[in-house]
Short mmCIF file of all heavy atoms in Angstrom, two decimals:
data_model
loop_
_atom_site.label_atom_id
_atom_site.label_comp_id
_atom_site.label_asym_id
_atom_site.label_seq_id
_atom_site.Cartn_x
_atom_site.Cartn_y
_atom_site.Cartn_z
N MET A 1 79.80 145.70 44.82
CA MET A 1 80.68 146.19 45.88
C MET A 1 81.63 147.24 45.32
O MET A 1 82.34 147.00 44.35
CB MET A 1 81.48 145.01 46.45
CG MET A 1 82.27 145.37 47.71
SD MET A 1 83.27 144.00 48.33
CE MET A 1 82.01 142.94 49.04
N LYS A 2 81.57 148.44 45.91
CA LYS A 2 82.44 149.52 45.44
C LYS A 2 83.72 149.58 46.26
O LYS A 2 83.71 149.34 47.46
CB LYS A 2 81.70 150.86 45.56
CG LYS A 2 80.55 151.00 44.55
CD LYS A 2 80.93 151.99 43.47
CE LYS A 2 79.72 152.39 42.63
NZ LYS A 2 79.38 151.37 41.62
N CYS A 3 84.79 149.92 45.61
CA CYS A 3 86.08 150.04 46.31
C CYS A 3 86.05 151.24 47.26
O CYS A 3 85.69 152.34 46.86
CB CYS A 3 87.19 150.21 45.29
SG CYS A 3 88.79 150.50 46.04
N PRO A 4 86.43 151.05 48.53
CA PRO A 4 86.45 152.17 49.49
C PRO A 4 87.57 153.17 49.19
O PRO A 4 87.55 154.30 49.67
CB PRO A 4 86.67 151.48 50.84
CG PRO A 4 87.29 150.18 50.51
CD PRO A 4 86.78 149.78 49.16
N ASN A 5 88.52 152.76 48.41
CA ASN A 5 89.63 153.66 48.08
C ASN A 5 89.30 154.58 46.91
O ASN A 5 89.43 155.78 46.97
CB ASN A 5 90.89 152.86 47.70
CG ASN A 5 91.69 152.47 48.92
OD1 ASN A 5 91.34 152.80 50.04
ND2 ASN A 5 92.77 151.75 48.70
N CYS A 6 88.84 153.97 45.80
CA CYS A 6 88.72 154.74 44.57
C CYS A 6 87.34 154.63 43.94
O CYS A 6 87.12 155.15 42.86
CB CYS A 6 89.80 154.31 43.58
SG CYS A 6 89.60 152.62 43.02
N SER A 7 86.39 153.93 44.61
CA SER A 7 84.99 153.83 44.17
C SER A 7 84.80 153.06 42.86
O SER A 7 83.72 153.12 42.27
CB SER A 7 84.35 155.21 44.04
OG SER A 7 84.35 155.85 45.29
N ALA A 8 85.81 152.37 42.40
CA ALA A 8 85.63 151.52 41.22
C ALA A 8 84.85 150.27 41.62
O ALA A 8 84.84 149.90 42.79
CB ALA A 8 86.99 151.14 40.64
N GLU A 9 84.18 149.66 40.67
CA GLU A 9 83.44 148.43 40.95
C GLU A 9 84.42 147.28 41.16
O GLU A 9 85.26 147.01 40.30
CB GLU A 9 82.49 148.11 39.80
CG GLU A 9 81.48 147.02 40.10
CD GLU A 9 80.54 147.34 41.27
OE1 GLU A 9 80.10 148.51 41.39
OE2 GLU A 9 80.26 146.43 42.04
N MET A 10 84.32 146.61 42.32
CA MET A 10 85.28 145.55 42.63
C MET A 10 84.84 144.23 42.01
O MET A 10 83.64 143.99 41.82
CB MET A 10 85.43 145.40 44.14
CG MET A 10 85.95 146.66 44.81
SD MET A 10 86.18 146.47 46.60
CE MET A 10 87.82 145.77 46.66
N ILE A 11 85.77 143.39 41.68
CA ILE A 11 85.47 142.08 41.11
C ILE A 11 85.36 141.07 42.25
O ILE A 11 86.31 140.85 42.99
CB ILE A 11 86.58 141.65 40.13
CG1 ILE A 11 86.73 142.71 39.03
CG2 ILE A 11 86.26 140.30 39.52
CD1 ILE A 11 87.98 142.53 38.19
N LYS A 12 84.15 140.48 42.40
CA LYS A 12 83.91 139.59 43.52
C LYS A 12 84.24 138.15 43.17
O LYS A 12 84.67 137.83 42.07
CB LYS A 12 82.43 139.70 43.95
CG LYS A 12 82.10 141.06 44.55
CD LYS A 12 80.61 141.17 44.87
CE LYS A 12 80.26 140.34 46.11
NZ LYS A 12 78.85 140.51 46.49
N ASP A 13 83.98 137.28 44.14
CA ASP A 13 84.06 135.82 43.97
C ASP A 13 85.47 135.28 43.80
O ASP A 13 85.66 134.24 43.18
CB ASP A 13 83.19 135.36 42.80
CG ASP A 13 81.72 135.30 43.21
OD1 ASP A 13 81.45 135.11 44.41
OD2 ASP A 13 80.86 135.46 42.33
N TYR A 14 86.44 135.99 44.31
CA TYR A 14 87.76 135.38 44.38
C TYR A 14 87.79 134.43 45.57
O TYR A 14 87.34 134.78 46.66
CB TYR A 14 88.86 136.45 44.57
CG TYR A 14 89.27 137.11 43.28
CD1 TYR A 14 88.59 138.22 42.81
CD2 TYR A 14 90.34 136.61 42.54
CE1 TYR A 14 88.95 138.83 41.62
CE2 TYR A 14 90.72 137.21 41.35
CZ TYR A 14 90.01 138.32 40.89
OH TYR A 14 90.38 138.92 39.72
N GLU A 15 88.29 133.23 45.35
CA GLU A 15 88.45 132.30 46.45
C GLU A 15 89.87 132.39 46.96
O GLU A 15 90.79 132.73 46.22
CB GLU A 15 88.11 130.88 46.00
CG GLU A 15 86.63 130.74 45.70
CD GLU A 15 86.23 129.33 45.30
OE1 GLU A 15 87.14 128.50 45.06
OE2 GLU A 15 85.03 129.07 45.23
N ILE A 16 90.04 132.11 48.23
CA ILE A 16 91.36 132.20 48.83
C ILE A 16 92.03 130.83 48.76
O ILE A 16 91.51 129.85 49.28
CB ILE A 16 91.27 132.69 50.28
CG1 ILE A 16 90.66 134.09 50.29
CG2 ILE A 16 92.65 132.69 50.95
CD1 ILE A 16 90.04 134.47 51.61
N LYS A 17 93.13 130.78 48.09
CA LYS A 17 93.82 129.53 47.88
C LYS A 17 95.11 129.53 48.68
O LYS A 17 95.82 130.54 48.72
CB LYS A 17 94.12 129.37 46.39
CG LYS A 17 94.60 128.00 45.99
CD LYS A 17 94.75 127.94 44.47
CE LYS A 17 95.49 126.68 44.07
NZ LYS A 17 95.86 126.68 42.66
N VAL A 18 95.39 128.42 49.31
CA VAL A 18 96.63 128.31 50.07
C VAL A 18 97.63 127.52 49.24
O VAL A 18 97.42 126.36 48.94
CB VAL A 18 96.38 127.59 51.42
CG1 VAL A 18 97.68 127.49 52.21
CG2 VAL A 18 95.32 128.33 52.21
N HIS A 19 98.67 128.19 48.83
CA HIS A 19 99.66 127.51 48.01
C HIS A 19 100.56 126.63 48.86
O HIS A 19 100.86 126.94 50.00
CB HIS A 19 100.50 128.54 47.24
CG HIS A 19 99.72 129.20 46.14
ND1 HIS A 19 99.73 128.73 44.84
CD2 HIS A 19 98.86 130.24 46.16
CE1 HIS A 19 98.92 129.49 44.11
NE2 HIS A 19 98.38 130.41 44.88
N GLY A 20 100.97 125.52 48.31
CA GLY A 20 101.80 124.59 49.05
C GLY A 20 100.98 123.48 49.66
O GLY A 20 101.51 122.44 50.01
N ALA A 21 99.66 123.68 49.78
CA ALA A 21 98.79 122.64 50.31
C ALA A 21 98.31 121.77 49.16
O ALA A 21 98.13 122.24 48.05
CB ALA A 21 97.61 123.26 51.03
N SER A 22 98.11 120.51 49.41
CA SER A 22 97.64 119.62 48.37
C SER A 22 96.14 119.78 48.18
O SER A 22 95.43 120.29 49.04
CB SER A 22 97.97 118.17 48.74
OG SER A 22 97.36 117.84 49.96
N LEU A 23 95.64 119.34 47.05
CA LEU A 23 94.25 119.48 46.66
C LEU A 23 93.82 120.95 46.71
O LEU A 23 94.64 121.85 46.64
CB LEU A 23 93.34 118.61 47.55
CG LEU A 23 93.65 117.11 47.48
CD1 LEU A 23 92.83 116.34 48.50
CD2 LEU A 23 93.39 116.56 46.08
N LEU A 24 92.53 121.19 46.83
CA LEU A 24 92.06 122.57 46.83
C LEU A 24 91.83 123.01 48.27
O LEU A 24 90.80 122.75 48.86
CB LEU A 24 90.78 122.68 46.00
CG LEU A 24 90.43 124.09 45.53
CD1 LEU A 24 91.37 124.53 44.41
CD2 LEU A 24 88.99 124.13 45.03
N ALA A 25 92.79 123.69 48.82
CA ALA A 25 92.66 124.14 50.21
C ALA A 25 92.04 125.52 50.25
O ALA A 25 92.19 126.30 49.34
CB ALA A 25 94.04 124.17 50.85
N TYR A 26 91.27 125.78 51.31
CA TYR A 26 90.76 127.12 51.50
C TYR A 26 90.67 127.42 52.98
O TYR A 26 90.66 126.53 53.81
CB TYR A 26 89.40 127.33 50.82
CG TYR A 26 88.28 126.48 51.39
CD1 TYR A 26 87.44 126.96 52.38
CD2 TYR A 26 88.08 125.19 50.92
CE1 TYR A 26 86.43 126.18 52.91
CE2 TYR A 26 87.08 124.40 51.44
CZ TYR A 26 86.25 124.89 52.44
OH TYR A 26 85.25 124.12 52.95
N ILE A 27 90.59 128.68 53.30
CA ILE A 27 90.49 129.10 54.70
C ILE A 27 89.03 129.45 54.99
O ILE A 27 88.36 130.05 54.16
CB ILE A 27 91.39 130.33 54.94
CG1 ILE A 27 92.84 129.96 54.63
CG2 ILE A 27 91.26 130.83 56.37
CD1 ILE A 27 93.77 131.16 54.57
N SER A 28 88.53 129.06 56.14
CA SER A 28 87.16 129.40 56.50
C SER A 28 87.13 130.02 57.89
O SER A 28 88.06 129.88 58.67
CB SER A 28 86.26 128.16 56.45
OG SER A 28 86.68 127.24 57.44
N LEU A 29 86.03 130.72 58.16
CA LEU A 29 85.78 131.24 59.49
C LEU A 29 84.87 130.25 60.21
O LEU A 29 83.91 129.78 59.64
CB LEU A 29 85.06 132.59 59.41
CG LEU A 29 85.86 133.79 58.95
CD1 LEU A 29 84.92 134.99 58.85
CD2 LEU A 29 86.99 134.10 59.89
N LYS A 30 85.16 129.98 61.48
CA LYS A 30 84.36 129.00 62.18
C LYS A 30 84.05 129.49 63.59
O LYS A 30 84.93 129.96 64.31
CB LYS A 30 85.11 127.66 62.24
CG LYS A 30 84.25 126.48 62.57
CD LYS A 30 84.99 125.19 62.23
CE LYS A 30 84.12 123.96 62.44
NZ LYS A 30 83.90 123.65 63.86
N LYS A 31 82.77 129.41 63.96
CA LYS A 31 82.36 129.69 65.34
C LYS A 31 81.38 128.61 65.73
O LYS A 31 80.29 128.51 65.17
CB LYS A 31 81.72 131.08 65.44
CG LYS A 31 81.39 131.45 66.86
CD LYS A 31 80.73 132.82 66.93
CE LYS A 31 80.44 133.14 68.40
NZ LYS A 31 79.72 134.39 68.56
N ASP A 32 81.75 127.80 66.67
CA ASP A 32 80.98 126.62 67.05
C ASP A 32 80.68 125.81 65.78
O ASP A 32 81.59 125.40 65.11
CB ASP A 32 79.68 127.02 67.76
CG ASP A 32 80.00 127.76 69.08
OD1 ASP A 32 80.99 127.38 69.73
OD2 ASP A 32 79.27 128.70 69.42
N LYS A 33 79.38 125.64 65.44
CA LYS A 33 79.07 124.83 64.26
C LYS A 33 78.85 125.69 63.03
O LYS A 33 78.55 125.19 61.95
CB LYS A 33 77.83 123.97 64.53
CG LYS A 33 78.10 122.81 65.46
CD LYS A 33 76.96 121.80 65.39
CE LYS A 33 77.31 120.54 66.16
NZ LYS A 33 76.69 120.46 67.48
N ASP A 34 78.96 126.98 63.21
CA ASP A 34 78.76 127.90 62.08
C ASP A 34 80.09 128.10 61.35
O ASP A 34 81.05 128.59 61.93
CB ASP A 34 78.23 129.23 62.62
CG ASP A 34 77.82 130.16 61.50
OD1 ASP A 34 77.57 129.66 60.38
OD2 ASP A 34 77.75 131.38 61.75
N GLU A 35 80.10 127.72 60.10
CA GLU A 35 81.33 127.84 59.34
C GLU A 35 81.06 128.59 58.05
O GLU A 35 80.12 128.29 57.33
CB GLU A 35 81.91 126.46 59.03
CG GLU A 35 83.29 126.55 58.41
CD GLU A 35 84.00 125.19 58.38
OE1 GLU A 35 83.37 124.18 58.72
OE2 GLU A 35 85.18 125.16 58.01
N LYS A 36 81.86 129.59 57.78
CA LYS A 36 81.66 130.40 56.58
C LYS A 36 82.92 130.41 55.73
O LYS A 36 84.03 130.51 56.24
CB LYS A 36 81.31 131.84 56.96
CG LYS A 36 80.00 131.98 57.70
CD LYS A 36 79.69 133.44 57.93
CE LYS A 36 78.51 133.64 58.85
NZ LYS A 36 77.30 132.90 58.45
N GLN A 37 82.69 130.30 54.45
CA GLN A 37 83.82 130.39 53.54
C GLN A 37 84.15 131.86 53.30
O GLN A 37 83.26 132.69 53.13
CB GLN A 37 83.48 129.71 52.21
CG GLN A 37 84.68 129.64 51.29
CD GLN A 37 84.35 128.99 49.95
OE1 GLN A 37 83.27 128.44 49.76
NE2 GLN A 37 85.28 129.06 49.03
N ILE A 38 85.41 132.16 53.31
CA ILE A 38 85.85 133.54 53.07
C ILE A 38 86.12 133.73 51.59
O ILE A 38 86.81 132.93 50.96
CB ILE A 38 87.14 133.86 53.84
CG1 ILE A 38 86.96 133.56 55.33
CG2 ILE A 38 87.54 135.32 53.64
CD1 ILE A 38 88.26 133.61 56.10
N LYS A 39 85.54 134.77 51.04
CA LYS A 39 85.83 135.14 49.66
C LYS A 39 86.40 136.54 49.64
O LYS A 39 86.32 137.27 50.63
CB LYS A 39 84.58 135.05 48.80
CG LYS A 39 84.13 133.61 48.58
CD LYS A 39 83.12 133.54 47.48
CE LYS A 39 82.97 132.10 47.01
NZ LYS A 39 82.10 132.01 45.84
N ALA A 40 86.94 136.92 48.52
CA ALA A 40 87.55 138.24 48.43
C ALA A 40 87.08 138.95 47.18
O ALA A 40 86.77 138.32 46.17
CB ALA A 40 89.07 138.11 48.42
N ALA A 41 87.01 140.26 47.27
CA ALA A 41 86.76 141.09 46.10
C ALA A 41 88.02 141.92 45.85
O ALA A 41 88.66 142.40 46.79
CB ALA A 41 85.56 142.00 46.33
N VAL A 42 88.36 142.05 44.59
CA VAL A 42 89.59 142.75 44.24
C VAL A 42 89.24 143.97 43.39
O VAL A 42 88.45 143.88 42.45
CB VAL A 42 90.55 141.83 43.45
CG1 VAL A 42 91.81 142.58 43.04
CG2 VAL A 42 90.91 140.62 44.28
N CYS A 43 89.84 145.09 43.70
CA CYS A 43 89.64 146.28 42.89
C CYS A 43 90.59 146.24 41.69
O CYS A 43 91.80 146.12 41.87
CB CYS A 43 89.91 147.53 43.72
SG CYS A 43 89.78 149.03 42.74
N PRO A 44 90.03 146.32 40.47
CA PRO A 44 90.89 146.25 39.28
C PRO A 44 91.70 147.52 39.08
O PRO A 44 92.64 147.54 38.30
CB PRO A 44 89.89 146.03 38.14
CG PRO A 44 88.62 146.63 38.65
CD PRO A 44 88.61 146.44 40.15
N LYS A 45 91.31 148.58 39.77
CA LYS A 45 91.96 149.87 39.55
C LYS A 45 93.16 150.07 40.48
O LYS A 45 94.25 150.39 40.04
CB LYS A 45 90.93 150.98 39.77
CG LYS A 45 91.03 152.12 38.79
CD LYS A 45 89.84 153.05 38.94
CE LYS A 45 90.17 154.45 38.46
NZ LYS A 45 89.07 155.39 38.72
N CYS A 46 92.93 149.89 41.80
CA CYS A 46 94.01 150.18 42.74
C CYS A 46 94.54 148.94 43.44
O CYS A 46 95.52 149.02 44.17
CB CYS A 46 93.56 151.22 43.77
SG CYS A 46 92.37 150.56 44.97
N GLY A 47 93.89 147.79 43.23
CA GLY A 47 94.40 146.55 43.80
C GLY A 47 93.98 146.27 45.23
O GLY A 47 94.45 145.30 45.83
N LYS A 48 93.09 147.07 45.77
CA LYS A 48 92.64 146.82 47.15
C LYS A 48 91.84 145.52 47.23
O LYS A 48 91.10 145.20 46.32
CB LYS A 48 91.80 148.00 47.64
CG LYS A 48 91.28 147.79 49.07
CD LYS A 48 90.75 149.04 49.67
CE LYS A 48 90.12 148.77 51.04
NZ LYS A 48 91.11 148.21 52.00
N ILE A 49 91.99 144.82 48.33
CA ILE A 49 91.26 143.57 48.55
C ILE A 49 90.30 143.75 49.72
O ILE A 49 90.68 144.28 50.75
CB ILE A 49 92.25 142.42 48.86
CG1 ILE A 49 93.23 142.24 47.72
CG2 ILE A 49 91.50 141.13 49.12
CD1 ILE A 49 94.39 141.34 48.09
N GLU A 50 89.06 143.30 49.52
CA GLU A 50 88.08 143.30 50.60
C GLU A 50 87.63 141.87 50.80
O GLU A 50 87.30 141.17 49.86
CB GLU A 50 86.87 144.17 50.23
CG GLU A 50 87.11 145.65 50.35
CD GLU A 50 86.97 146.15 51.78
OE1 GLU A 50 85.92 145.95 52.38
OE2 GLU A 50 87.95 146.75 52.29
N PHE A 51 87.56 141.45 52.06
CA PHE A 51 87.09 140.10 52.35
C PHE A 51 85.62 140.12 52.73
O PHE A 51 85.13 141.08 53.31
CB PHE A 51 87.90 139.50 53.50
CG PHE A 51 89.34 139.28 53.17
CD1 PHE A 51 90.32 140.03 53.80
CD2 PHE A 51 89.71 138.34 52.22
CE1 PHE A 51 91.66 139.83 53.48
CE2 PHE A 51 91.04 138.15 51.90
CZ PHE A 51 92.02 138.89 52.53
N TYR A 52 84.91 139.06 52.36
CA TYR A 52 83.53 138.89 52.80
C TYR A 52 83.22 137.42 52.88
O TYR A 52 83.98 136.58 52.39
CB TYR A 52 82.56 139.61 51.83
CG TYR A 52 82.56 139.06 50.42
CD1 TYR A 52 81.57 138.17 50.02
CD2 TYR A 52 83.53 139.43 49.50
CE1 TYR A 52 81.55 137.66 48.73
CE2 TYR A 52 83.52 138.92 48.21
CZ TYR A 52 82.54 138.03 47.84
OH TYR A 52 82.52 137.52 46.57
N THR A 53 82.13 137.08 53.53
CA THR A 53 81.77 135.67 53.64
C THR A 53 80.75 135.30 52.58
O THR A 53 79.91 136.10 52.23
CB THR A 53 81.19 135.34 55.03
OG1 THR A 53 80.15 136.26 55.31
CG2 THR A 53 82.27 135.44 56.10
N ALA A 54 80.88 134.10 52.09
CA ALA A 54 80.00 133.65 51.01
C ALA A 54 78.59 133.42 51.53
O ALA A 54 78.40 133.07 52.68
CB ALA A 54 80.53 132.37 50.39
ZN1 ZN B 101 90.19 150.76 44.18
#
């Protein structure tokens, strides 16, 4: 995945963690019975974040 800002290679597989919640909390997308985990890619150069589903 290339960064749309600066075209650097983005680092994938970041999980979204909710601080303040107990255990390992994460946010997911849900439509009816279809549920997808949201992951993020981070650009090491400019810091842009892109979300995608696992
Ligand atoms: Zn970038």
Side-chain angles (χ1 to χ4, degrees):
M1 189 182 286
K2 290 253 192 281
C3 175
N5 275 359
C6 65
S7 299
E9 191 61 39
M10 299 182 86
I11 303 168
K12 292 176 74 176
D13 282 333
Y14 278 87
E15 292 182 350
I16 298 158
K17 191 175 169 190
V18 180
H19 288 267
S22 58
L23 300 173
L24 199 73
Y26 64 94
I27 300 168
S28 64
L29 288 176
K30 197 165 185 287
K31 185 181 181 185
D32 297 324
K33 287 195 171 102
D34 188 21
E35 188 168 7
K36 296 185 189 307
Q37 186 181 351
I38 306 169
K39 290 194 164 186
V42 178
C43 176
K45 220 171 155 186
C46 72
K48 179 166 175 60
I49 301 168
E50 283 278 304
F51 294 113
Y52 64 98
T53 52

